[in-house]
């Protein structure tokens, strides 16, 4: 109970200290956190990041960029977030079928107690779990004989359609589709 169970408290305190000098603060920490699983005390490496000012979508882009650099396919899933986060602006980071982290806006009531103006967004990664899912060897493919054909399509969907599910559905339409990106 005396060991840290989250990296966010220190990061939020560091934001408070740094916003006096900078308009934009982006901090991260990689370290061990401790928790109980039943009667067993456990420790694991965790990565936490805080972005100020940044909304949920800014943090999603950071997560997508990180996982793209790791050559890992990342999906976002709706998650029931803890009370410290804005439940409407939070998602689980999923690789394969494993939840490896979370991205969320910090709840405004928490920020008020610290004297920070919203939005503040944070994300966390379970480094131990993620390291088991990463490919150990990168596989390089030869440069294609023919250049790629890039199509720009406009699609209108309802607000309830999740972006990740839509991207997966488009990719499964043909083996020739290699990359799908949304502009807006």
């Amino acid at each position: 109970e005396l060991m840290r169970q989250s990296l966010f408290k220190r990061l939020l305190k560091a934001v408070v200290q740094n916003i006096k000098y900078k308009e934009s603060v982006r901090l991260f920490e990689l370290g061990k956190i401790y928790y109980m699983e039943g009667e067993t005390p456990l420790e694991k490496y965790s990565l936490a990041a805080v972005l100020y000012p940044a909304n949920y979508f800014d943090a999603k882009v950071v997560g997508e960029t990180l996982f793209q650099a790791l050559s890992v396919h990342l999906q976002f899933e709706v998650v029931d977030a803890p009370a410290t986060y804005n439940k409407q602006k939070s998602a689980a980071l999923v690789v394969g079928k494993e939840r490896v982290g979370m991205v969320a806006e910090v709840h405004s009531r928490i920020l008020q107690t610290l004297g920070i103006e919203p939005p503040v967004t944070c994300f966390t990664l379970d480094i131990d779990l993620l390291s088991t899912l990463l490919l150990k060897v990168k596989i390089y493919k030869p440069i294609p004989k023919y250049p790629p054909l890039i199509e720009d399509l406009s699609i209108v969907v309802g607000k309830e359609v999740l972006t990740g599910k839509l991207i997966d559905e488009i990719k499964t339409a043909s083996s020739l589709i290699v990359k799908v990106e949304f502009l807006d």
Side-chain angles (χ1 to χ4, degrees), residues 9-45:
K9 286 182 182 178
R10 282 188 9 190
L11 284 174
L12 287 174
K13 287 179 183 177
V15 168
V16 171
Q17 293 171 343
N18 284 282
I19 59 176
K20 299 172 190 171
Y21 310 105
K22 292 278 188 183
E23 291 180 17
S24 174
V25 179
R26 294 183 175 357
L27 302 170
F28 77 94
E29 183 176 353
L30 175 64
K32 288 184 179 181
I33 61 171
Y34 305 89
Y35 61 100
M36 295 293 288
E37 193 169 281
E39 294 292 318
T40 309
L42 298 173
E43 68 179 20
K44 67 178 175 180
Y45 274 103

PDB file of all heavy atoms in Angstrom, residues 9-45:
ATOM      1  N   LYS A   9       0.281  10.583 -10.648  1.00  0.00           N
ATOM      2  CA  LYS A   9       0.291  11.631  -9.625  1.00  0.00           C
ATOM      3  C   LYS A   9       1.523  12.518  -9.748  1.00  0.00           C
ATOM      4  O   LYS A   9       1.426  13.735  -9.734  1.00  0.00           O
ATOM      5  CB  LYS A   9       0.208  11.021  -8.226  1.00  0.00           C
ATOM      6  CG  LYS A   9      -1.148  10.491  -7.875  1.00  0.00           C
ATOM      7  CD  LYS A   9      -1.175   9.946  -6.469  1.00  0.00           C
ATOM      8  CE  LYS A   9      -2.543   9.381  -6.151  1.00  0.00           C
ATOM      9  NZ  LYS A   9      -2.590   8.810  -4.808  1.00  0.00           N
ATOM     10  N   ARG A  10       2.684  11.889  -9.889  1.00  0.00           N
ATOM     11  CA  ARG A  10       3.922  12.667 -10.017  1.00  0.00           C
ATOM     12  C   ARG A  10       3.954  13.447 -11.319  1.00  0.00           C
ATOM     13  O   ARG A  10       4.449  14.571 -11.362  1.00  0.00           O
ATOM     14  CB  ARG A  10       5.141  11.754  -9.919  1.00  0.00           C
ATOM     15  CG  ARG A  10       5.419  11.384  -8.488  1.00  0.00           C
ATOM     16  CD  ARG A  10       6.677  10.660  -8.199  1.00  0.00           C
ATOM     17  NE  ARG A  10       7.657  10.521  -9.265  1.00  0.00           N
ATOM     18  CZ  ARG A  10       8.707   9.739  -9.161  1.00  0.00           C
ATOM     19  NH1 ARG A  10       8.895   9.033  -8.070  1.00  0.00           N
ATOM     20  NH2 ARG A  10       9.574   9.643 -10.134  1.00  0.00           N
ATOM     21  N   LEU A  11       3.438  12.851 -12.391  1.00  0.00           N
ATOM     22  CA  LEU A  11       3.433  13.549 -13.676  1.00  0.00           C
ATOM     23  C   LEU A  11       2.520  14.772 -13.637  1.00  0.00           C
ATOM     24  O   LEU A  11       2.867  15.831 -14.160  1.00  0.00           O
ATOM     25  CB  LEU A  11       3.014  12.610 -14.801  1.00  0.00           C
ATOM     26  CG  LEU A  11       4.076  11.615 -15.255  1.00  0.00           C
ATOM     27  CD1 LEU A  11       3.504  10.646 -16.273  1.00  0.00           C
ATOM     28  CD2 LEU A  11       5.284  12.322 -15.831  1.00  0.00           C
ATOM     29  N   LEU A  12       1.354  14.636 -13.012  1.00  0.00           N
ATOM     30  CA  LEU A  12       0.442  15.787 -12.910  1.00  0.00           C
ATOM     31  C   LEU A  12       1.049  16.886 -12.044  1.00  0.00           C
ATOM     32  O   LEU A  12       0.910  18.073 -12.343  1.00  0.00           O
ATOM     33  CB  LEU A  12      -0.920  15.355 -12.375  1.00  0.00           C
ATOM     34  CG  LEU A  12      -1.790  14.567 -13.362  1.00  0.00           C
ATOM     35  CD1 LEU A  12      -3.047  14.055 -12.674  1.00  0.00           C
ATOM     36  CD2 LEU A  12      -2.153  15.393 -14.576  1.00  0.00           C
ATOM     37  N   LYS A  13       1.754  16.511 -10.978  1.00  0.00           N
ATOM     38  CA  LYS A  13       2.437  17.511 -10.148  1.00  0.00           C
ATOM     39  C   LYS A  13       3.536  18.207 -10.951  1.00  0.00           C
ATOM     40  O   LYS A  13       3.758  19.407 -10.810  1.00  0.00           O
ATOM     41  CB  LYS A  13       3.018  16.862  -8.891  1.00  0.00           C
ATOM     42  CG  LYS A  13       1.961  16.483  -7.876  1.00  0.00           C
ATOM     43  CD  LYS A  13       2.571  15.816  -6.665  1.00  0.00           C
ATOM     44  CE  LYS A  13       1.478  15.381  -5.698  1.00  0.00           C
ATOM     45  NZ  LYS A  13       2.002  14.657  -4.545  1.00  0.00           N
ATOM     46  N   ALA A  14       4.203  17.466 -11.819  1.00  0.00           N
ATOM     47  CA  ALA A  14       5.250  18.046 -12.660  1.00  0.00           C
ATOM     48  C   ALA A  14       4.652  19.012 -13.684  1.00  0.00           C
ATOM     49  O   ALA A  14       5.259  20.033 -14.002  1.00  0.00           O
ATOM     50  CB  ALA A  14       6.031  16.942 -13.363  1.00  0.00           C
ATOM     51  N   VAL A  15       3.454  18.705 -14.166  1.00  0.00           N
ATOM     52  CA  VAL A  15       2.765  19.627 -15.083  1.00  0.00           C
ATOM     53  C   VAL A  15       2.495  20.943 -14.360  1.00  0.00           C
ATOM     54  O   VAL A  15       2.743  22.028 -14.893  1.00  0.00           O
ATOM     55  CB  VAL A  15       1.453  19.018 -15.631  1.00  0.00           C
ATOM     56  CG1 VAL A  15       0.614  20.065 -16.338  1.00  0.00           C
ATOM     57  CG2 VAL A  15       1.755  17.868 -16.575  1.00  0.00           C
ATOM     58  N   VAL A  16       1.984  20.858 -13.133  1.00  0.00           N
ATOM     59  CA  VAL A  16       1.698  22.061 -12.338  1.00  0.00           C
ATOM     60  C   VAL A  16       2.956  22.916 -12.199  1.00  0.00           C
ATOM     61  O   VAL A  16       2.912  24.138 -12.352  1.00  0.00           O
ATOM     62  CB  VAL A  16       1.135  21.685 -10.945  1.00  0.00           C
ATOM     63  CG1 VAL A  16       1.054  22.896 -10.045  1.00  0.00           C
ATOM     64  CG2 VAL A  16      -0.221  21.019 -11.082  1.00  0.00           C
ATOM     65  N   GLN A  17       4.090  22.279 -11.926  1.00  0.00           N
ATOM     66  CA  GLN A  17       5.337  23.010 -11.752  1.00  0.00           C
ATOM     67  C   GLN A  17       5.842  23.624 -13.064  1.00  0.00           C
ATOM     68  O   GLN A  17       6.436  24.699 -13.063  1.00  0.00           O
ATOM     69  CB  GLN A  17       6.413  22.093 -11.167  1.00  0.00           C
ATOM     70  CG  GLN A  17       6.110  21.654  -9.755  1.00  0.00           C
ATOM     71  CD  GLN A  17       7.058  20.574  -9.259  1.00  0.00           C
ATOM     72  OE1 GLN A  17       7.742  19.923 -10.038  1.00  0.00           O
ATOM     73  NE2 GLN A  17       7.085  20.371  -7.950  1.00  0.00           N
ATOM     74  N   ASN A  18       5.598  22.945 -14.192  1.00  0.00           N
ATOM     75  CA  ASN A  18       6.158  23.388 -15.467  1.00  0.00           C
ATOM     76  C   ASN A  18       5.303  24.378 -16.240  1.00  0.00           C
ATOM     77  O   ASN A  18       5.836  25.114 -17.063  1.00  0.00           O
ATOM     78  CB  ASN A  18       6.470  22.174 -16.345  1.00  0.00           C
ATOM     79  CG  ASN A  18       7.723  21.474 -15.899  1.00  0.00           C
ATOM     80  OD1 ASN A  18       8.815  21.919 -16.183  1.00  0.00           O
ATOM     81  ND2 ASN A  18       7.560  20.383 -15.162  1.00  0.00           N
ATOM     82  N   ILE A  19       3.993  24.413 -15.993  1.00  0.00           N
ATOM     83  CA  ILE A  19       3.159  25.339 -16.768  1.00  0.00           C
ATOM     84  C   ILE A  19       3.418  26.796 -16.383  1.00  0.00           C
ATOM     85  O   ILE A  19       3.001  27.698 -17.106  1.00  0.00           O
ATOM     86  CB  ILE A  19       1.646  25.011 -16.677  1.00  0.00           C
ATOM     87  CG1 ILE A  19       1.154  25.051 -15.235  1.00  0.00           C
ATOM     88  CG2 ILE A  19       1.354  23.698 -17.327  1.00  0.00           C
ATOM     89  CD1 ILE A  19      -0.345  24.834 -15.091  1.00  0.00           C
ATOM     90  N   LYS A  20       4.137  27.013 -15.301  1.00  0.00           N
ATOM     91  CA  LYS A  20       4.535  28.372 -14.937  1.00  0.00           C
ATOM     92  C   LYS A  20       5.532  28.924 -15.953  1.00  0.00           C
ATOM     93  O   LYS A  20       5.638  30.132 -16.128  1.00  0.00           O
ATOM     94  CB  LYS A  20       5.181  28.389 -13.547  1.00  0.00           C
ATOM     95  CG  LYS A  20       4.290  27.921 -12.435  1.00  0.00           C
ATOM     96  CD  LYS A  20       5.094  27.780 -11.141  1.00  0.00           C
ATOM     97  CE  LYS A  20       4.280  27.081 -10.087  1.00  0.00           C
ATOM     98  NZ  LYS A  20       5.095  26.743  -8.906  1.00  0.00           N
ATOM     99  N   TYR A  21       6.275  28.035 -16.610  1.00  0.00           N
ATOM    100  CA  TYR A  21       7.359  28.440 -17.491  1.00  0.00           C
ATOM    101  C   TYR A  21       7.104  28.150 -18.965  1.00  0.00           C
ATOM    102  O   TYR A  21       7.728  28.752 -19.825  1.00  0.00           O
ATOM    103  CB  TYR A  21       8.655  27.735 -17.072  1.00  0.00           C
ATOM    104  CG  TYR A  21       8.925  27.866 -15.595  1.00  0.00           C
ATOM    105  CD1 TYR A  21       8.734  26.799 -14.729  1.00  0.00           C
ATOM    106  CD2 TYR A  21       9.344  29.081 -15.057  1.00  0.00           C
ATOM    107  CE1 TYR A  21       8.968  26.919 -13.369  1.00  0.00           C
ATOM    108  CE2 TYR A  21       9.578  29.215 -13.695  1.00  0.00           C
ATOM    109  CZ  TYR A  21       9.394  28.131 -12.865  1.00  0.00           C
ATOM    110  OH  TYR A  21       9.620  28.268 -11.520  1.00  0.00           O
ATOM    111  N   LYS A  22       6.218  27.223 -19.253  1.00  0.00           N
ATOM    112  CA  LYS A  22       5.945  26.818 -20.635  1.00  0.00           C
ATOM    113  C   LYS A  22       4.442  26.764 -20.877  1.00  0.00           C
ATOM    114  O   LYS A  22       3.683  26.398 -19.992  1.00  0.00           O
ATOM    115  CB  LYS A  22       6.520  25.424 -20.918  1.00  0.00           C
ATOM    116  CG  LYS A  22       8.007  25.338 -20.934  1.00  0.00           C
ATOM    117  CD  LYS A  22       8.509  25.776 -22.267  1.00  0.00           C
ATOM    118  CE  LYS A  22       9.989  25.516 -22.391  1.00  0.00           C
ATOM    119  NZ  LYS A  22      10.515  25.984 -23.625  1.00  0.00           N
ATOM    120  N   GLU A  23       4.026  27.102 -22.096  1.00  0.00           N
ATOM    121  CA  GLU A  23       2.604  27.014 -22.446  1.00  0.00           C
ATOM    122  C   GLU A  23       2.195  25.586 -22.751  1.00  0.00           C
ATOM    123  O   GLU A  23       1.039  25.219 -22.591  1.00  0.00           O
ATOM    124  CB  GLU A  23       2.310  27.902 -23.654  1.00  0.00           C
ATOM    125  CG  GLU A  23       2.412  29.377 -23.349  1.00  0.00           C
ATOM    126  CD  GLU A  23       2.105  30.226 -24.564  1.00  0.00           C
ATOM    127  OE1 GLU A  23       1.508  29.710 -25.531  1.00  0.00           O
ATOM    128  OE2 GLU A  23       2.460  31.404 -24.540  1.00  0.00           O
ATOM    129  N   SER A  24       3.146  24.794 -23.231  1.00  0.00           N
ATOM    130  CA  SER A  24       2.856  23.417 -23.607  1.00  0.00           C
ATOM    131  C   SER A  24       3.815  22.493 -22.853  1.00  0.00           C
ATOM    132  O   SER A  24       5.028  22.725 -22.840  1.00  0.00           O
ATOM    133  CB  SER A  24       3.045  23.246 -25.112  1.00  0.00           C
ATOM    134  OG  SER A  24       2.897  21.904 -25.480  1.00  0.00           O
ATOM    135  N   VAL A  25       3.270  21.470 -22.212  1.00  0.00           N
ATOM    136  CA  VAL A  25       4.079  20.529 -21.434  1.00  0.00           C
ATOM    137  C   VAL A  25       3.740  19.114 -21.877  1.00  0.00           C
ATOM    138  O   VAL A  25       2.570  18.724 -21.916  1.00  0.00           O
ATOM    139  CB  VAL A  25       3.803  20.681 -19.915  1.00  0.00           C
ATOM    140  CG1 VAL A  25       4.625  19.681 -19.122  1.00  0.00           C
ATOM    141  CG2 VAL A  25       4.085  22.096 -19.449  1.00  0.00           C
ATOM    142  N   ARG A  26       4.775  18.348 -22.201  1.00  0.00           N
ATOM    143  CA  ARG A  26       4.616  16.952 -22.566  1.00  0.00           C
ATOM    144  C   ARG A  26       5.667  16.158 -21.793  1.00  0.00           C
ATOM    145  O   ARG A  26       6.856  16.317 -22.022  1.00  0.00           O
ATOM    146  CB  ARG A  26       4.784  16.768 -24.058  1.00  0.00           C
ATOM    147  CG  ARG A  26       3.643  17.487 -24.779  1.00  0.00           C
ATOM    148  CD  ARG A  26       3.626  17.349 -26.187  1.00  0.00           C
ATOM    149  NE  ARG A  26       2.597  17.859 -27.014  1.00  0.00           N
ATOM    150  CZ  ARG A  26       1.490  18.472 -26.754  1.00  0.00           C
ATOM    151  NH1 ARG A  26       1.145  18.713 -25.528  1.00  0.00           N
ATOM    152  NH2 ARG A  26       0.649  18.881 -27.668  1.00  0.00           N
ATOM    153  N   LEU A  27       5.199  15.325 -20.882  1.00  0.00           N
ATOM    154  CA  LEU A  27       6.095  14.593 -19.989  1.00  0.00           C
ATOM    155  C   LEU A  27       5.780  13.100 -20.042  1.00  0.00           C
ATOM    156  O   LEU A  27       4.645  12.709 -20.283  1.00  0.00           O
ATOM    157  CB  LEU A  27       5.921  15.074 -18.549  1.00  0.00           C
ATOM    158  CG  LEU A  27       6.154  16.555 -18.290  1.00  0.00           C
ATOM    159  CD1 LEU A  27       5.703  16.915 -16.885  1.00  0.00           C
ATOM    160  CD2 LEU A  27       7.607  16.908 -18.496  1.00  0.00           C
ATOM    161  N   PHE A  28       6.802  12.290 -19.775  1.00  0.00           N
ATOM    162  CA  PHE A  28       6.559  10.855 -19.644  1.00  0.00           C
ATOM    163  C   PHE A  28       7.469  10.288 -18.569  1.00  0.00           C
ATOM    164  O   PHE A  28       8.471  10.889 -18.204  1.00  0.00           O
ATOM    165  CB  PHE A  28       6.776  10.118 -20.979  1.00  0.00           C
ATOM    166  CG  PHE A  28       8.214   9.913 -21.340  1.00  0.00           C
ATOM    167  CD1 PHE A  28       8.874   8.738 -21.001  1.00  0.00           C
ATOM    168  CD2 PHE A  28       8.927  10.891 -22.021  1.00  0.00           C
ATOM    169  CE1 PHE A  28      10.207   8.545 -21.327  1.00  0.00           C
ATOM    170  CE2 PHE A  28      10.256  10.707 -22.356  1.00  0.00           C
ATOM    171  CZ  PHE A  28      10.898   9.529 -22.013  1.00  0.00           C
ATOM    172  N   GLU A  29       7.089   9.131 -18.074  1.00  0.00           N
ATOM    173  CA  GLU A  29       7.926   8.416 -17.118  1.00  0.00           C
ATOM    174  C   GLU A  29       7.798   6.932 -17.380  1.00  0.00           C
ATOM    175  O   GLU A  29       6.703   6.412 -17.629  1.00  0.00           O
ATOM    176  CB  GLU A  29       7.509   8.720 -15.678  1.00  0.00           C
ATOM    177  CG  GLU A  29       8.412   8.039 -14.666  1.00  0.00           C
ATOM    178  CD  GLU A  29       8.106   8.383 -13.221  1.00  0.00           C
ATOM    179  OE1 GLU A  29       7.269   9.269 -12.969  1.00  0.00           O
ATOM    180  OE2 GLU A  29       8.709   7.763 -12.331  1.00  0.00           O
ATOM    181  N   LEU A  30       8.918   6.262 -17.329  1.00  0.00           N
ATOM    182  CA  LEU A  30       8.976   4.813 -17.457  1.00  0.00           C
ATOM    183  C   LEU A  30       9.488   4.285 -16.130  1.00  0.00           C
ATOM    184  O   LEU A  30      10.560   4.678 -15.673  1.00  0.00           O
ATOM    185  CB  LEU A  30       9.929   4.406 -18.590  1.00  0.00           C
ATOM    186  CG  LEU A  30      10.182   2.918 -18.785  1.00  0.00           C
ATOM    187  CD1 LEU A  30       8.909   2.201 -19.181  1.00  0.00           C
ATOM    188  CD2 LEU A  30      11.260   2.701 -19.816  1.00  0.00           C
ATOM    189  N   GLY A  31       8.701   3.438 -15.487  1.00  0.00           N
ATOM    190  CA  GLY A  31       9.114   2.921 -14.189  1.00  0.00           C
ATOM    191  C   GLY A  31       8.221   1.790 -13.725  1.00  0.00           C
ATOM    192  O   GLY A  31       7.268   1.405 -14.396  1.00  0.00           O
ATOM    193  N   LYS A  32       8.536   1.295 -12.544  1.00  0.00           N
ATOM    194  CA  LYS A  32       7.762   0.188 -11.986  1.00  0.00           C
ATOM    195  C   LYS A  32       6.581   0.717 -11.187  1.00  0.00           C
ATOM    196  O   LYS A  32       6.680   1.737 -10.515  1.00  0.00           O
ATOM    197  CB  LYS A  32       8.639  -0.672 -11.078  1.00  0.00           C
ATOM    198  CG  LYS A  32       9.650  -1.501 -11.819  1.00  0.00           C
ATOM    199  CD  LYS A  32      10.411  -2.409 -10.873  1.00  0.00           C
ATOM    200  CE  LYS A  32      11.403  -3.249 -11.648  1.00  0.00           C
ATOM    201  NZ  LYS A  32      12.142  -4.146 -10.762  1.00  0.00           N
ATOM    202  N   ILE A  33       5.475  -0.012 -11.300  1.00  0.00           N
ATOM    203  CA  ILE A  33       4.325   0.222 -10.434  1.00  0.00           C
ATOM    204  C   ILE A  33       4.032  -1.087  -9.705  1.00  0.00           C
ATOM    205  O   ILE A  33       4.457  -2.156 -10.142  1.00  0.00           O
ATOM    206  CB  ILE A  33       3.080   0.730 -11.208  1.00  0.00           C
ATOM    207  CG1 ILE A  33       2.632  -0.290 -12.252  1.00  0.00           C
ATOM    208  CG2 ILE A  33       3.342   2.079 -11.823  1.00  0.00           C
ATOM    209  CD1 ILE A  33       1.299   0.046 -12.890  1.00  0.00           C
ATOM    210  N   TYR A  34       3.312  -0.976  -8.594  1.00  0.00           N
ATOM    211  CA  TYR A  34       3.081  -2.129  -7.731  1.00  0.00           C
ATOM    212  C   TYR A  34       1.593  -2.268  -7.460  1.00  0.00           C
ATOM    213  O   TYR A  34       0.895  -1.276  -7.271  1.00  0.00           O
ATOM    214  CB  TYR A  34       3.861  -1.948  -6.426  1.00  0.00           C
ATOM    215  CG  TYR A  34       5.320  -1.697  -6.693  1.00  0.00           C
ATOM    216  CD1 TYR A  34       5.807  -0.403  -6.870  1.00  0.00           C
ATOM    217  CD2 TYR A  34       6.206  -2.759  -6.807  1.00  0.00           C
ATOM    218  CE1 TYR A  34       7.146  -0.174  -7.147  1.00  0.00           C
ATOM    219  CE2 TYR A  34       7.548  -2.534  -7.079  1.00  0.00           C
ATOM    220  CZ  TYR A  34       8.005  -1.245  -7.252  1.00  0.00           C
ATOM    221  OH  TYR A  34       9.333  -1.016  -7.539  1.00  0.00           O
ATOM    222  N   TYR A  35       1.117  -3.504  -7.436  1.00  0.00           N
ATOM    223  CA  TYR A  35      -0.300  -3.752  -7.217  1.00  0.00           C
ATOM    224  C   TYR A  35      -0.492  -5.157  -6.653  1.00  0.00           C
ATOM    225  O   TYR A  35       0.429  -5.970  -6.666  1.00  0.00           O
ATOM    226  CB  TYR A  35      -1.087  -3.567  -8.521  1.00  0.00           C
ATOM    227  CG  TYR A  35      -0.673  -4.519  -9.631  1.00  0.00           C
ATOM    228  CD1 TYR A  35      -1.423  -5.654  -9.897  1.00  0.00           C
ATOM    229  CD2 TYR A  35       0.455  -4.281 -10.392  1.00  0.00           C
ATOM    230  CE1 TYR A  35      -1.055  -6.523 -10.902  1.00  0.00           C
ATOM    231  CE2 TYR A  35       0.838  -5.140 -11.395  1.00  0.00           C
ATOM    232  CZ  TYR A  35       0.076  -6.260 -11.642  1.00  0.00           C
ATOM    233  OH  TYR A  35       0.459  -7.135 -12.636  1.00  0.00           O
ATOM    234  N   MET A  36      -1.688  -5.388  -6.154  1.00  0.00           N
ATOM    235  CA  MET A  36      -2.021  -6.702  -5.602  1.00  0.00           C
ATOM    236  C   MET A  36      -2.916  -7.444  -6.587  1.00  0.00           C
ATOM    237  O   MET A  36      -3.835  -6.868  -7.156  1.00  0.00           O
ATOM    238  CB  MET A  36      -2.766  -6.559  -4.273  1.00  0.00           C
ATOM    239  CG  MET A  36      -1.956  -5.932  -3.163  1.00  0.00           C
ATOM    240  SD  MET A  36      -0.594  -6.948  -2.619  1.00  0.00           S
ATOM    241  CE  MET A  36      -1.458  -8.248  -1.757  1.00  0.00           C
ATOM    242  N   GLU A  37      -2.638  -8.710  -6.776  1.00  0.00           N
ATOM    243  CA  GLU A  37      -3.506  -9.583  -7.552  1.00  0.00           C
ATOM    244  C   GLU A  37      -3.903 -10.715  -6.616  1.00  0.00           C
ATOM    245  O   GLU A  37      -3.136 -11.643  -6.387  1.00  0.00           O
ATOM    246  CB  GLU A  37      -2.797 -10.102  -8.793  1.00  0.00           C
ATOM    247  CG  GLU A  37      -3.743 -10.746  -9.790  1.00  0.00           C
ATOM    248  CD  GLU A  37      -3.050 -11.004 -11.108  1.00  0.00           C
ATOM    249  OE1 GLU A  37      -2.909 -10.049 -11.888  1.00  0.00           O
ATOM    250  OE2 GLU A  37      -2.652 -12.162 -11.348  1.00  0.00           O
ATOM    251  N   GLY A  38      -5.106 -10.575  -6.022  1.00  0.00           N
ATOM    252  CA  GLY A  38      -5.510 -11.481  -4.960  1.00  0.00           C
ATOM    253  C   GLY A  38      -4.666 -11.191  -3.734  1.00  0.00           C
ATOM    254  O   GLY A  38      -4.617 -10.084  -3.241  1.00  0.00           O
ATOM    255  N   GLU A  39      -3.937 -12.178  -3.256  1.00  0.00           N
ATOM    256  CA  GLU A  39      -3.055 -12.009  -2.103  1.00  0.00           C
ATOM    257  C   GLU A  39      -1.596 -11.802  -2.518  1.00  0.00           C
ATOM    258  O   GLU A  39      -0.726 -11.641  -1.672  1.00  0.00           O
ATOM    259  CB  GLU A  39      -3.153 -13.252  -1.196  1.00  0.00           C
ATOM    260  CG  GLU A  39      -4.513 -13.432  -0.552  1.00  0.00           C
ATOM    261  CD  GLU A  39      -4.795 -12.351   0.476  1.00  0.00           C
ATOM    262  OE1 GLU A  39      -3.887 -12.003   1.254  1.00  0.00           O
ATOM    263  OE2 GLU A  39      -5.933 -11.845   0.483  1.00  0.00           O
ATOM    264  N   THR A  40      -1.342 -11.815  -3.840  1.00  0.00           N
ATOM    265  CA  THR A  40       0.026 -11.754  -4.331  1.00  0.00           C
ATOM    266  C   THR A  40       0.423 -10.328  -4.725  1.00  0.00           C
ATOM    267  O   THR A  40      -0.232  -9.717  -5.564  1.00  0.00           O
ATOM    268  CB  THR A  40       0.181 -12.665  -5.578  1.00  0.00           C
ATOM    269  OG1 THR A  40      -0.329 -13.953  -5.271  1.00  0.00           O
ATOM    270  CG2 THR A  40       1.620 -12.761  -6.011  1.00  0.00           C
ATOM    271  N   PRO A  41       1.497  -9.782  -4.142  1.00  0.00           N
ATOM    272  CA  PRO A  41       1.985  -8.474  -4.586  1.00  0.00           C
ATOM    273  C   PRO A  41       2.777  -8.637  -5.887  1.00  0.00           C
ATOM    274  O   PRO A  41       3.604  -9.539  -6.004  1.00  0.00           O
ATOM    275  CB  PRO A  41       2.889  -8.019  -3.434  1.00  0.00           C
ATOM    276  CG  PRO A  41       3.312  -9.267  -2.763  1.00  0.00           C
ATOM    277  CD  PRO A  41       2.230 -10.289  -2.991  1.00  0.00           C
ATOM    278  N   LEU A  42       2.504  -7.771  -6.860  1.00  0.00           N
ATOM    279  CA  LEU A  42       3.168  -7.842  -8.157  1.00  0.00           C
ATOM    280  C   LEU A  42       3.756  -6.490  -8.521  1.00  0.00           C
ATOM    281  O   LEU A  42       3.311  -5.455  -8.030  1.00  0.00           O
ATOM    282  CB  LEU A  42       2.176  -8.286  -9.237  1.00  0.00           C
ATOM    283  CG  LEU A  42       1.564  -9.672  -9.068  1.00  0.00           C
ATOM    284  CD1 LEU A  42       0.491  -9.904 -10.109  1.00  0.00           C
ATOM    285  CD2 LEU A  42       2.634 -10.745  -9.180  1.00  0.00           C
ATOM    286  N   GLU A  43       4.744  -6.508  -9.409  1.00  0.00           N
ATOM    287  CA  GLU A  43       5.302  -5.277  -9.946  1.00  0.00           C
ATOM    288  C   GLU A  43       5.394  -5.423 -11.456  1.00  0.00           C
ATOM    289  O   GLU A  43       5.546  -6.533 -11.970  1.00  0.00           O
ATOM    290  CB  GLU A  43       6.674  -4.969  -9.348  1.00  0.00           C
ATOM    291  CG  GLU A  43       7.762  -5.922  -9.745  1.00  0.00           C
ATOM    292  CD  GLU A  43       9.124  -5.578  -9.142  1.00  0.00           C
ATOM    293  OE1 GLU A  43       9.180  -4.855  -8.142  1.00  0.00           O
ATOM    294  OE2 GLU A  43      10.118  -6.052  -9.691  1.00  0.00           O
ATOM    295  N   LYS A  44       5.280  -4.294 -12.158  1.00  0.00           N
ATOM    296  CA  LYS A  44       5.433  -4.331 -13.607  1.00  0.00           C
ATOM    297  C   LYS A  44       5.932  -2.978 -14.081  1.00  0.00           C
ATOM    298  O   LYS A  44       5.744  -1.956 -13.417  1.00  0.00           O
ATOM    299  CB  LYS A  44       4.126  -4.705 -14.299  1.00  0.00           C
ATOM    300  CG  LYS A  44       3.017  -3.684 -14.191  1.00  0.00           C
ATOM    301  CD  LYS A  44       1.787  -4.145 -14.944  1.00  0.00           C
ATOM    302  CE  LYS A  44       0.630  -3.183 -14.725  1.00  0.00           C
ATOM    303  NZ  LYS A  44      -0.554  -3.581 -15.413  1.00  0.00           N
ATOM    304  N   TYR A  45       6.599  -3.012 -15.239  1.00  0.00           N
ATOM    305  CA  TYR A  45       7.049  -1.768 -15.851  1.00  0.00           C
ATOM    306  C   TYR A  45       5.878  -1.119 -16.565  1.00  0.00           C
ATOM    307  O   TYR A  45       5.100  -1.781 -17.249  1.00  0.00           O
ATOM    308  CB  TYR A  45       8.177  -2.026 -16.848  1.00  0.00           C
ATOM    309  CG  TYR A  45       9.527  -2.065 -16.196  1.00  0.00           C
ATOM    310  CD1 TYR A  45      10.161  -3.271 -15.959  1.00  0.00           C
ATOM    311  CD2 TYR A  45      10.165  -0.896 -15.805  1.00  0.00           C
ATOM    312  CE1 TYR A  45      11.400  -3.311 -15.360  1.00  0.00           C
ATOM    313  CE2 TYR A  45      11.397  -0.918 -15.195  1.00  0.00           C
ATOM    314  CZ  TYR A  45      12.015  -2.133 -14.979  1.00  0.00           C
ATOM    315  OH  TYR A  45      13.239  -2.165 -14.369  1.00  0.00           O
TER     316      TYR A  45
END
